[in-house]
Amino acid sequence: MSGAAAFQWGEYREALLFLGTAGVVAPLFHRLRISPILGFLLAGAALGPFGLGKLAERHELLSAIALSDLEGVAKIAEFGLVFLLFMIGLELSWERLARMRMLVFGLGLSQVLLCGGALAAAGVFWAGLGPAPATLLGAALAMSSTAIVIPLLAERRRLNRAAGRAAFSVLLLQDLMVAPLLFLISFLSDPQVESEGLKALLAFLPALAAMGALIIAGRLLLRPLFHLVAAAQSIELFTAASLLVIIGAGVASAAAGFSMGLGAFIAGLLLAETEFRREIEVTIEPFKGLLLGLFFVSVGAGLDFDRVIEDLRQVLVIAIGLIVTKTLIVFLLGRAFRLRPRIAAEVALLLAPGGEFAFILVGAAIASGVLPKNLGADAMLAVTLGLFVLPALARLGEWLNPGRRLQDDEAEFGHLAPEGEIAAGRVVIVGYGRVGALIGDMLSRHEIPYVAVDNDVKLVAQTRDKGVDIYWGNCMRREFLMRLGVAQARALVVTVENPQAAQEIVRLAHQERADMTIVARARDAWHATHLYELGASDAIPETIESSLQLAETVLVDVGVPMGYVIASIHEKRDEYRKLLQPTGEEARQRAARASTRLRELKKRRARPAPEAEAEGEG
């Protein structure tokens, strides 16, 4: 049999269809200024078994572009939630979680209890459910969509506003509630519960012990593990270690009886306090984006149009009743927790539809026999319809709450801000060897806050233990600089020894923010000129500066008054700066040549080791 005959399109169809969808949907909807999430949902509905899959029964050609193995796709798509919860944990810390306790464990817990109670009451009196299944259905529908709300807020730049921070706090509590609810489902589905009661409940204690062991093991092992991996200076190995930690923590959590997402969230919390946090974020972000896209495709593909039409009245009643009930309760809770009316309204609209965890909880309840299949299926369809309208509700909330000044939000909700922009208002020092450490010491003497970056893992570990806010990472990656928040920095100081690395970092930072003060260490006058061309505010050549220092010492030693010496040294330094700074057509030609050289350098940089060595400080 030939290779062409042996090839089976069906084996790769789902993967190729998803990658093709991602390649079309994301840029198209970004160009239309519509959330790509809505695009993935629509694409899933169109390509799924209830869209093109149904037409493929009559037209065989359409089967080639229809998603058929929905169950297999869903298993992989669940990792999108796992990676999302890991990234949420990575943005937090145990200390910050304690500071957020009022909104997380106050507003968040109240939202779950009151919304869940109201929806459970509807299940008892409207659907005729018993107390146990009604409670589970109410709790599942009380959940909101972390996977959609957080990206929507980030796209609209509202995650740092008061409504975004309050919604984030509630969503965090909901994520923490998933594991206990999953246990409750398994607990209620156990036939021994009725006969053994409390004894069966005590069986949950080993699971709690296993989770405690996971947290302790993470605290002891994660930082040493990444220290060893980072020392190898291999991007591939670092990526593999990051994926291992996320999936391994998720599997360990699932083995203990909890959700995989909870284990990944705890792993993120533990790594948030380490120097590897920013590099891990940059490494994992593409995986999270792709898996979340696949998750939304699978959600859209599960939209059964025939069932919606068949049970249209019940599905619409559940969907509309869910949104109205949660909007009203969350708005009143927001006012009770002293949120302004407009802020409370935006939070209520963001949290009103059901969320992705409803599929997991309702599906588990149906599989265990706790919830009737027909009602559970209608509830999941109602949640799916709610996800489709969520982007519109978010826009409505933004229109109702144009917002106060950002400074006012900072004063009231500053302690809840996501810590994504750690460099905001601070000086960033790239390269913390001898020169960088001296600059940091002088900034500290003048009480100017700074954050440092280096890729020497031993130096970073030693410096961090001394209390310096320093991170391990590669600043020659644009994504890393953006995660660091260099666009909001007060100034950037580049002290790396390798000339090409310094030029690349200056170029990327200048492209990110053209008006930022960039001071760079240059090897010689020629290098300084190129740094100026690429956007450096000041480039300090080592040879010239050392000569000026020697001249200053000689003049003072031979008896010239200190004031005259300092004035003459400054004058000479200004002369050199004017000579080194390029002007006119020659400057433009040099900038073009430098840009070409940098592009060629990036093409030749195939292995990670030169990148890592490039940032090292001599």
Side-chain angles (χ1 to χ4, degrees), residues 412-616:
E412 189 173 355
F413 296 96
H415 62 293
L416 299 177
E419 299 176 351
E421 299 171 349
I422 57 173
R426 305 161 78 182
V427 176
V428 178
I429 303 175
V430 179
Y432 206 72
R434 298 186 306 270
V435 177
L438 178 60
I439 294 171
D441 182 57
M442 295 304 298
L443 290 172
S444 296
R445 291 191 182 192
H446 290 274
E447 298 182 349
I448 298 175
Y450 70 92
V451 59
V453 183
D454 203 288
N455 76 326
D456 185 334
V457 67
K458 292 183 179 179
L459 183 149
V460 171
Q462 294 170 358
T463 306
R464 194 175 184 86
D465 290 339
K466 295 177 182 177
V468 176
D469 192 9
I470 185 171
Y471 291 86
W472 180 87
N474 181 5
C475 284
M476 293 174 69
R477 299 170 68 182
R478 181 186 300 275
E479 296 82 2
F480 183 86
L481 287 176
M482 293 174 64
R483 279 283 175 181
L484 198 65
V486 72
Q488 289 77 37
R490 186 172 178 179
L492 173 68
V493 182
V494 183
T495 71
V496 295
E497 194 174 57
N498 186 284
Q500 288 80 15
Q503 290 173 219
E504 179 74 350
I505 294 167
V506 168
R507 183 182 70 85
L508 291 173
H510 182 69
Q511 287 181 351
E512 190 68 20
R513 188 178 135 206
D515 64 339
M516 182 169 57
T517 299
I518 304 175
V519 180
R521 170 188 180 185
R523 173 165 290 183
D524 49 33
W526 178 88
H527 186 216
T529 299
H530 284 283
L531 290 172
Y532 278 120
E533 291 170 347
L534 293 169
S537 308
D538 280 297
I540 314 300
E542 295 175 344
T543 52
I544 294 176
E545 195 59 33
S546 59
S547 300
L548 291 174
Q549 291 178 6
L550 286 170
E552 179 182 349
T553 303
V554 170
L555 290 171
V556 171
D557 288 346
V558 298
V560 178
M562 177 66 74
Y564 289 114
V565 172
I566 293 175
S568 62
I569 292 296
H570 278 295
E571 183 179 344
K572 194 66 178 177
R573 185 178 286 118
D574 289 339
E575 290 177 8
Y576 275 118
R577 184 179 288 112
K578 292 178 181 178
L579 289 173
L580 296 175
Q581 288 179 338
T583 57
E585 182 61 30
E586 181 184 358
R588 287 190 288 273
Q589 293 176 359
R590 287 181 179 178
R593 290 196 298 269
S595 180
T596 302
R597 282 194 297 271
L598 285 172
R599 284 196 298 269
E600 292 174 353
L601 176 66
K602 290 183 70 176
K603 290 179 182 178
R604 292 197 303 268
R605 196 185 302 124
R607 293 181 300 176
E611 292 183 6
E613 181 183 353
E615 286 190 40

Side-chain angles (χ1 to χ4, degrees), residues 111 115 119 141-145 149 319-328 330 345-355 386 390 393:
Q111 184 272 333
C115 289
L119 295 169
L141 296 179
M143 298 295 176
S144 305
S145 180
V149 172
I320 297 173
L322 174 64
I323 292 175
V324 172
T325 301
K326 290 176 67 176
T327 299
L328 180 61
V330 174
E346 183 177 0
V347 174
L349 289 169
L350 287 168
L351 302 178
L390 184 48
L393 292 175

Side-chain angles (χ1 to χ4, degrees), residues 327-366:
T327 299
L328 180 61
I329 292 176
V330 174
F331 176 78
L332 294 176
L333 281 174
R335 296 294 295 129
F337 279 83
R338 299 181 180 179
L339 296 181
R340 297 174 184 270
R342 292 176 180 271
I343 296 174
E346 183 177 0
V347 174
L349 289 169
L350 287 168
L351 302 178
E356 55 278 353
F357 289 116
F359 298 103
I360 299 174
L361 295 170
V362 174
I366 293 174

Side-chain angles (χ1 to χ4, degrees), residues 152 156 158 346 349 393-403:
L152 280 176
R156 306 294 298 174
R158 298 187 69 80
E346 183 177 0
L349 289 169
L393 292 175
R395 289 289 187 100
L396 176 60
E398 184 178 347
W399 178 75
L400 291 174
N401 179 33

